[in-house]
Every structure is written in structure tokens, then in C-alpha cells.
Amino acid sequence: MALKGLDIFKLTPKTNCKDCGNPTCMAFAMKVASGALPIEKCPHMSAEALSTLSEATAPPMKSYKVGDLSLGGETVLSRHEKTLVSKTLYAVQVCDCMDEAKQDEVIRNIPAVDYERISERMYVEMVYVRHSADKASADFAALVGKVKALGRPMVLSCTDVEAMKAGVEAAAGCDIIVNGATAGNYADMSAVATGAKALLGVRADSLEQLHEVVEKLEAAGNKNLILEVSAASVKEAYAEAIQIRRAALKDGDRTFGYPSIVNVAALADGDAHLEAALLSLFTCKYGSIVVCSGMTYAKALPLYGLRQNIFTDPQKPMKVQPGIYPINGADENSPCCLTVDFALTYFLVSGELERSKMPVNLLITDASGMSVLTAWAAGKFSSSSIKKFFDEFDINNKIKSRALIIPGKVAVMKGEIQDKLPEWSVIVGTTEAVQLVKYLRDEEWKKSYVDKSAAAAPAAGEAAAEPAPAPKKVIPAPPIVVTGPYMIDDKPVTYKGHDPNAQTFVTIGERIHCISPAIRKAMDTYDEAPILKRAAEQIAAGATYLDVNIGPAESNGPELMQWAVQLLQQNFNNVPLALDTANQKAIEAGIKVYNRTNGKPIVNSADAGSRISNIDLAAANDAIVIALCSADGIAKDNEERMMHCHNMLERGLHLGMESDDLWFDPLFLVIKGMQDKQMDVLNAIRAFSDEGLKSTGGLSNNSNGMPKHIRPIMDAAMVGMAMTMGLTSAIVNPCDLRLMETIKSCDIIKNHNLYADSYLEI
């Protein structure tokens, strides 16, 4: 089985020479373990170590290329364990037992299904050319010659060695799989496949016999194999496909560590509905090549969508390509709707636009595959990113219309976008995609449309144009007024202080967040009351830090952050804060006015990808930084998490930071949908703790999507388990009484707080 990163590290030279392109031998070992780099990338590895590692790190299933198509290479059974490597390929069967008219019809229909979905071409990748025992070798060769004209890889299915030789000769110059080795002919068929430099397909009457034939072929030196699941019934075929894959991946039986072929055309025996169902079944479990009698759009649309979901990294969002998408025959004079590149958003919005029957240009901007609100809060969907998108795609010259409809959920962006695109009329659209049909049919957008070209044109007889519109004015932050202690239930709320050296669990209150409409409005207008109310509730509940998320805040980020920092610290005895925004200048401005009496400020957050410079920012300002163990996407496994952790730790230490000032976040994952990944997160926390590192994270992510009454139960259970693994902090809702009681109880059990009968009140 594959070695772990630390096992690989023990066999490296440990010189940190950087000749492999990595900063340390540890970083190199982690990348090798995750499959990101080959072992040979290290020029100083000993021959003995290379031999050991090559065998140990090889995937349990062999991987191959047939033309440009990939087969095998899988290391896991489930897509949630790790990204699957090679997608299922579909082949259409044509047989020399068919009359010529039928053969021609099947071959002619193969190219009929060919379309693109989310930047991936959907088509029939291969042709399964079958030889019937009652036909001559010449018939098989003639059919192979016909299929060859399609220019697609072929699976030549034939157990007659002489007929196979004729078929291979007819297929010269085409990528093929020689599929026909049995217990009786495997030696001769292997010679044919070896001569053709092709994979050899192996079949047998039982799994036991298949295992024996593969062992004999391997002993003879042929390990370029593919296994055909040739059971007589659906039940048996399903069982065999799973047993072959499990034997290779779970039991480490490399004799079954090869890709597989499943012929559902034979299993369905002409039943079109059964065949469609079996195509889906063996896409999931576990056909490398699945053979059908024909492909139509009715079969393809759901089938290829299923395949794309299964063979897309589940921990990275599905994205569509940024660009201009004309809907309903839109042209350069049609209005434009703007949204993000998250695939689900694209399909929902484009579907409703099509349903409206109104011509519209859908503009898709790069937002790292995030939804609208998430991208906006993370700074990925901002006026600057939109301006950059317009410049890169030359929107102004490609589209004459100047009507730009933005999502209603980010109406707050209208002014900033208008500043960056002054010649456009920015219109706030609907909050939900389903509302677009009526909105466009009734031309409601025209009520807010301003013809900028007409307004800018000089009046008749005037010698000069009208002056450009004045830039948007930013509301200045008002002075902070402290009127006295904030009261809850007639009791004053004051922050009790925090000892940074204490071992007690650090809670970071999450409720001052710009995604909340009330908080967003308060920040837009510098309204103190809603912000102070939420701060007081969290402090009264026992929060150690407060997270202040102001969103991208491009127009007034520094001013807004300084106002928020001073407002909270002056009203609540210098409560320590986590400064949360994608705007680095805003974080720097907040730190300038920050009072460190109760602890350093926290920079929320850095990662090992595009946000790694936030570690530099924290180092330069003697701040703590939350370091997400990811690189613009969730890590596939703990090997990758620890690789990111070590990369960020090295960067911080190199800049003079203390290790205690980097709080590593494993990224808590949604239980509803990623239940089998929860122990990975907990084990990552244990790994941080074992290395003496501090950890934190957005704990409530784990219960997203659950009913409201269940979320506190799951959050409390998760924090208890995480604290036993060594979690030192979490971003939470401190007003969740069950959660806070669990945290206090765990602190006592871990001997981090003194027990008392009234401990819940301390």
C-alpha cells in the first residue's frame, strides 16, 4: 500500500537542497504522498530508496493511456475519500453479426452525441468492435476498417486468435485494446497484444479463473491488462465489478489491480430502459469502460452529468468558464446579466433566462467557483474583479448595450460597480433566479435603466460635452461615542479580560458578519446599535475574541475597519478582535488603532494559495494569523493538509513569527454530504497538536444544512471530540448555550480550568 508522507521523508536525503523545486524535503515528501510529484523529481535519491518508494507509492491499480484517454490509477473506492483519477469511458458496440445496413447505421450514429458541459466535451469515446464466432476473420477485419474511419480508439473483442490478428492488422494506426484473452488462448492472445503495443483484455467464466489467468500473464511478463466483467446476469456482474475493485484497493491484491470493462449491451439484451439504468450503475460501480448498444441525447444528458459529478473533485467547486454567454439569440444590443462562475449558479440563472424567452447576454465572471454571497464576502466578487473581467474580455467593445443587471443579493455593490464602469447603467436585479422570468418579460429592469450615452452626449449647438459624473462620495465614519456600559437585562456587559498564555479554549464569536443583512446595513450606515448589540450578546455569553467581518469593503475598507475596531474596543474594555476581510489595507488600518491589552489582533485569514501574503501581513504587524490548510480549495486528505500546514509554518517562522501565532485551520466540512470525512478533520487536529501547534476553525460549518434543532447538538458533539484531539480554538456562535457548556466542561476535564460546582457561571 502507498506510504505516508512521513514514511517517504525518512528515505529522502534530508538536505533541503531545493533541487526538486520544493523548499524542504518534508514538503517534497508530502507532495509525493499526495501524488502531486513523482519520486524521481529528487535527483539525490539513492537507487535503493527509489526502488523501495517506487513500489510502495505506486497506486494499487495500474494506470494507462489509450490515445488521449486515461484508464485506471484509482486509489480509493469512494469519491469522498479522494478524487477519482480516470473517468468512466463509454463505448458503443458494433458486431460483424449485424448486416451491413445495421453496421452503417450504428457507426453513423456514434458521432451524433457531441456537446460541451462545464468546459468538458461529452461524446462517445470508444467503439467496441465485436466478432461473432460464426463469422469469418475477413468479416471482422472489414468491420474494423469501417469503424477505423471514425478516428476513435477501439476495443477489439474477439477470442479467435487468427480473427484478432486480422482485426489488429485492419486497425493499424488506430489506438486499440485487444480484448479476448481466456484460459485457453491467453499466451497467443498476449503475443498479439504485445506485438500491437496494446492493452490485453482478459475474460473468464469465474473470478477465480480470471485471477489465475492474470497471474499466468503476469508471470509471462505482461502487466498491460484490462479485466472484462463477463458475468451472465446483472447481479453477478455488479458483484464481480465491486469484488475486483475492492480486492485491489482494500485488500492490496495487485493481481486484480487493473481497469475493467463491463458490457451492459449484453446484460440488457435489447431492453433500452434497463441499459440506461445499467450505464449509470456501472459508472458508479466500477466500470472503467462501459459498453452500450448506442448513445442518444436522452441517454447522454443525465448519464454524462452523473459522470461529471462523480469524477469531479468534490472538494473543489465546479466552475464554468468566464465569458459572454448569449441567451435566446442575444446580440450586442441586448441587456447583460452578471453572475459568478459557480456551476450551480450558472445552470439556475441560465435556465431561468432561457425560460424568459428574452434575449440576454449572461456575463460570467471568475469568482473561484463560489456562490454569489460567499464570493462577495471573500472578496472574489467585487467591483475590482468585475472591472478586471470587463477589461480582459473586452466587454465594452463586444457589447453596445450598457444595461448591466447585477444579482439582488449584492445590491450593496451597485455604487462601487458604477464607479468602476461609469459608462454602464448598473441595475439591481432579482434576489432569486426564479424571479428573472417575470422581471425580464415585464421589462422591469428598464425602470432603473439610465441611458448614459444619451446623458453624456452634448446638447444641440453646445461646443463641449457635459462634465463626467462626480465620483461616488464615501460616507465618513462618525466619531465613536461611548455613553456607558452596554446593558443586557439591566446588567452591564463588560469584557472580563483574556490571558494569552492560558490553556483554556479560545472562542471567537462569529456573529458580526457582513453576510447578515442587519450587520451589512449597519456597516453601510455606521449604525452602532446592531453591532454593539451582537457584540454584547457574545461577550455576555463568554466569547474570548470577536470576529469582525466587513466583507471586501473596497471603497471604504480601512475607514470602516478602524471604526469597527474602535467602536467595539472602546465600548467593551478592549475586547480582542479577529479582523476578517479580503482587503489587506483594511486589516492594516484596523491593526493601527487596535489596543493589545487583552491579546494580539487576529488576521482572518491566510491560506497556502492566493492568500498566503496574509502571513506576511501578520508577521509585519506582530499579529496572530488563522492559516487555512488549503490552497484555493479544500485539501483532498490529511497528507495534503499537513503539506500546506508545513509550508505556511515555514513561511511564518522565516519571517520571524512564533509558532504560537499561527493558528492552523483544518477546515471543518459539512457532515450532511461529507460524513465520511469528519474523522479526517479530527485526525488533522490531532496531527497539529502532536507537533505542538495551535488550531482553530469555523466549527459551525459541520452542521450546515441541518434542521435548526439538530445543529446545536452536532456542534456540541463536534467541539467535544475536537477538543479531545487538541483543538485550541474555534470560530463559533457563543450564544449557543449547549456549545459553551460543552466547551467549559471539556476545559475542566482537560485540566485547563478549575472545577467548581458552579463552574458554568464562571
Side-chain angles (χ1 to χ4, degrees):
M1 297 302 288
L3 294 178
K4 295 185 178 297
L6 290 175
D7 298 323
I8 296 170
F9 173 68
K10 292 174 184 176
L11 296 172
T12 64
K14 304 184 186 69
T15 57
N16 296 336
C17 64
K18 301 180 176 64
D19 290 347
C20 63
N22 293 278
T24 64
C25 289
M26 173 63 82
F28 170 73
M30 292 296 178
K31 286 187 177 179
V32 171
S34 68
L37 283 178
I39 297 157
E40 293 76 15
K41 193 76 174 175
C42 172
H44 308 296
M45 195 78 74
S46 70
E48 183 181 354
L50 275 175
S51 176
T52 302
L53 290 171
S54 295
E55 179 66 23
T57 59
M61 177 186 287
K62 295 268 284 184
S63 60
Y64 304 105
K65 282 280 190 180
V66 180
D68 295 329
L69 304 172
S70 298
L71 285 169
E74 304 301 346
T75 59
V76 294
L77 293 173
S78 168
R79 70 186 290 265
H80 293 304
E81 296 176 71
K82 198 172 183 178
T83 309
L84 299 175
V85 176
S86 300
K87 67 186 179 184
T88 298
L89 302 175
Y90 300 120
V92 167
Q93 175 176 273
V94 58
C95 181
D96 57 12
C97 62
M98 300 173 178
D99 59 49
E100 285 199 25
K102 181 63 175 176
Q103 290 176 3
D104 293 342
E105 180 187 356
V106 173
I107 294 169
R108 185 172 59 253
N109 288 337
I110 287 172
V113 172
D114 198 336
Y115 63 99
E116 188 174 290
R117 182 180 188 268
I118 316 180
S119 306
E120 183 181 341
R121 184 186 174 198
M122 306 298 185
Y123 69 108
V124 175
E125 290 93 355
M126 307 184 84
V127 185
Y128 187 89
V129 187
R130 179 172 168 267
H131 173 59
S132 178
D134 58 355
K135 289 292 180 178
S137 299
D139 296 325
F140 186 52
L143 178 57
V144 171
K146 283 184 181 181
V147 174
K148 182 179 175 181
L150 290 174
R152 305 188 187 201
M154 289 184 281
V155 180
L156 305 185
S157 178
C158 172
T159 56
D160 183 320
V161 175
E162 295 306 315
M164 181 64 82
K165 288 179 181 178
V168 169
E169 185 178 348
C174 185
D175 297 304
I176 61 170
I177 294 174
V178 172
N179 181 36
T182 66
N185 70 6
Y186 68 88
D188 292 334
M189 201 63 78
S190 179
V192 174
T194 302
K197 297 181 180 179
L199 292 182
L200 175 63
V202 187
R203 65 182 70 169
D205 294 332
S206 67
L207 284 182
E208 291 77 11
Q209 188 182 71
L210 182 64
H211 199 275
E212 290 174 5
V213 175
V214 172
E215 284 181 324
K216 291 176 181 177
L217 285 165
E218 289 179 331
N222 192 346
K223 293 187 177 181
N224 297 314
L225 309 175
I226 185 167
L227 312 181
E228 176 157 342
V229 177
S230 49
S233 70
V234 172
K235 181 180 179 180
E236 291 172 355
Y238 180 64
E240 285 191 11
I242 292 175
Q243 288 175 53
I244 289 171
R245 184 67 61 92
R246 286 187 64 86
L249 303 190
K250 291 297 184 184
D251 301 335
D253 184 354
R254 290 185 182 269
T255 303
F256 271 168
Y258 297 98
S260 60
I261 301 176
V262 184
N263 190 339
V264 301
L267 291 171
D269 194 25
D271 186 331
H273 296 294
L274 177 59
E275 182 174 300
L278 293 178
L279 279 165
S280 299
L281 176 66
F282 288 104
T283 297
C284 299
K285 306 278 186 182
Y286 285 107
S288 302
I289 300 173
V290 181
V291 183
C292 61
S293 61
M295 187 66 70
T296 64
Y297 273 102
K299 280 184 185 176
L301 292 175
L303 179 64
Y304 284 102
L306 171 69
R307 184 182 73 175
Q308 192 170 46
N309 281 322
I310 291 173
F311 291 92
T312 300
D313 189 338
Q315 296 165 351
K316 291 183 180 177
M318 292 179 67
K319 300 165 57 176
V320 295
Q321 287 295 323
I324 306 170
Y325 291 78
I327 307 288
N328 299 327
D331 58 22
E332 60 186 6
N333 296 307
S334 304
C336 300
C337 280
L338 177 73
T339 193
V340 294
D341 59 349
F342 181 38
L344 180 59
T345 299
Y346 166 79
F347 285 119
L348 287 173
V349 172
S350 63
E352 296 302 328
L353 292 179
E354 289 174 1
R355 206 160 61 86
S356 75
K357 308 297 184 185
M358 304 298 290
V360 179
N361 289 304
L362 180 57
L363 306 184
I364 301 294
T365 183
D366 184 358
S368 299
M370 298 179 182
S371 63
V372 170
L373 270 180
T374 305
W376 173 75
K380 300 286 187 180
F381 187 43
S382 65
S383 59
S384 295
S385 70
I386 293 166
K387 178 64 165 64
K388 181 181 177 183
F389 163 70
F390 268 63
D391 292 342
E392 286 182 356
F393 285 85
D394 197 22
I395 305 294
N396 287 341
N397 291 324
K398 291 179 179 177
I399 295 180
K400 292 180 180 178
S401 168
R402 288 297 180 261
L404 180 63
I405 303 168
I406 65 172
K409 287 186 176 179
V410 288
V412 68
M413 291 174 59
K414 176 180 177 179
E416 295 176 353
I417 298 173
Q418 192 69 77
D419 289 346
K420 294 288 175 69
L421 303 173
E423 67 274 29
W424 286 76
S425 178
V426 180
I427 303 158
V428 176
T430 63
T431 56
E432 301 296 338
V434 72
Q435 299 166 334
L436 283 169
V437 176
K438 183 177 186 302
Y439 181 79
L440 292 170
R441 284 179 180 172
D442 294 349
E443 297 187 326
E444 292 179 22
W445 62 273
K446 288 188 176 181
K447 297 175 183 177
S448 303
Y449 175 70
V450 176
D451 188 345
K452 295 298 184 76
S453 60
E462 289 185 358
E466 292 290 331
K472 175 189 172 185
K473 291 184 179 179
V474 176
I475 303 173
I480 305 298
V481 179
V482 180
T483 57
Y486 194 95
M487 308 292 288
I488 293 182
D489 296 331
D490 297 326
K491 295 180 181 178
V493 177
T494 183
Y495 186 70
K496 296 178 181 179
H498 166 60
D499 178 5
N501 298 316
Q503 289 184 298
T504 49
F505 194 78
V506 174
T507 53
I508 304 172
E510 66 185 5
R511 301 191 67 235
I512 303 176
H513 198 304
C514 63
I515 282 185
S516 162
I519 296 299
R520 184 164 72 241
K521 182 178 179 182
M523 289 179 175
D524 288 343
T525 59
Y526 295 103
D527 183 0
E528 298 180 358
I531 296 172
L532 290 176
K533 181 176 183 293
R534 290 211 176 176
E537 290 169 346
Q538 294 180 96
I539 291 169
T544 318
Y545 270 77
L546 298 181
D547 186 76
V548 184
N549 188 318
I550 66 170
E554 289 192 329
S555 61
N556 65 338
E559 188 175 30
L560 176 58
M561 184 61 86
Q562 285 192 341
W563 174 79
V565 168
Q566 291 174 315
L567 173 69
L568 293 168
Q569 289 201 310
Q570 291 180 25
N571 276 279
F572 298 107
N573 188 31
N574 298 316
V575 58
L577 304 172
L579 311 185
D580 194 350
T581 176
N583 187 331
Q584 286 192 344
K585 290 182 179 178
I587 293 177
E588 290 173 334
I591 291 174
K592 284 180 181 177
V593 298
Y594 184 92
N595 187 305
R596 297 168 181 262
T597 299
N598 289 308
K600 294 180 181 181
I602 296 175
V603 175
N604 190 5
S605 55
D607 65 15
S610 61
R611 299 173 70 178
I612 199 165
S613 61
N614 276 352
I615 294 177
D616 305 8
L617 186 154
N621 290 279
D622 189 26
I624 296 165
V625 63
I626 294 175
L628 311 179
C629 292
S630 65
D632 300 316
I634 299 171
K636 296 180 178 66
D637 53 30
N638 282 344
E639 294 289 331
E640 187 176 330
R641 280 189 180 92
M642 296 311 295
M643 178 185 71
H644 294 320
C645 168
H646 292 143
N647 288 345
M648 291 185 288
L649 178 61
E650 286 181 12
R651 188 180 184 110
L653 296 178
H654 178 73
L655 293 168
M657 295 182 73
E658 298 292 332
S659 61
D660 280 357
D661 286 342
L662 290 108
W663 295 6
F664 293 97
D665 182 350
L667 291 177
F668 286 90
L669 304 175
V670 180
I671 293 175
K672 191 176 179 180
M674 301 187 76
Q675 183 176 344
D676 57 340
K677 302 301 290 184
Q678 301 306 310
M679 288 308 300
D680 281 355
V681 174
L682 294 172
N683 288 329
I685 294 168
R686 168 60 60 83
F688 300 150
S689 180
D690 288 346
E691 295 189 17
L693 303 174
K694 291 190 173 182
S695 53
T696 191
L699 182 93
S700 59
N701 286 347
N702 85 96
S703 64
N704 272 340
M706 294 183 181
K708 287 184 178 180
H709 68 285
I710 293 178
R711 293 196 66 178
I713 301 171
M714 299 303 292
D715 289 345
M718 176 60 81
V719 81
M721 295 180 72
M723 288 179 71
T724 63
M725 292 291 194
L727 187 70
T728 56
S729 167
I731 304 168
V732 299
N733 175 10
C735 300
D736 180 345
L737 180 60
R738 183 197 296 264
L739 180 75
M740 296 300 283
E741 287 177 343
T742 302
I743 290 170
K744 290 179 181 180
S745 300
C746 289
D747 265 337
I748 287 171
I749 293 168
K750 295 185 73 174
N751 200 30
H752 293 166
N753 208 349
L754 184 64
Y755 171 77
D757 287 345
S758 61
Y759 79 94
L760 290 179
E761 299 174 9
I762 65 172

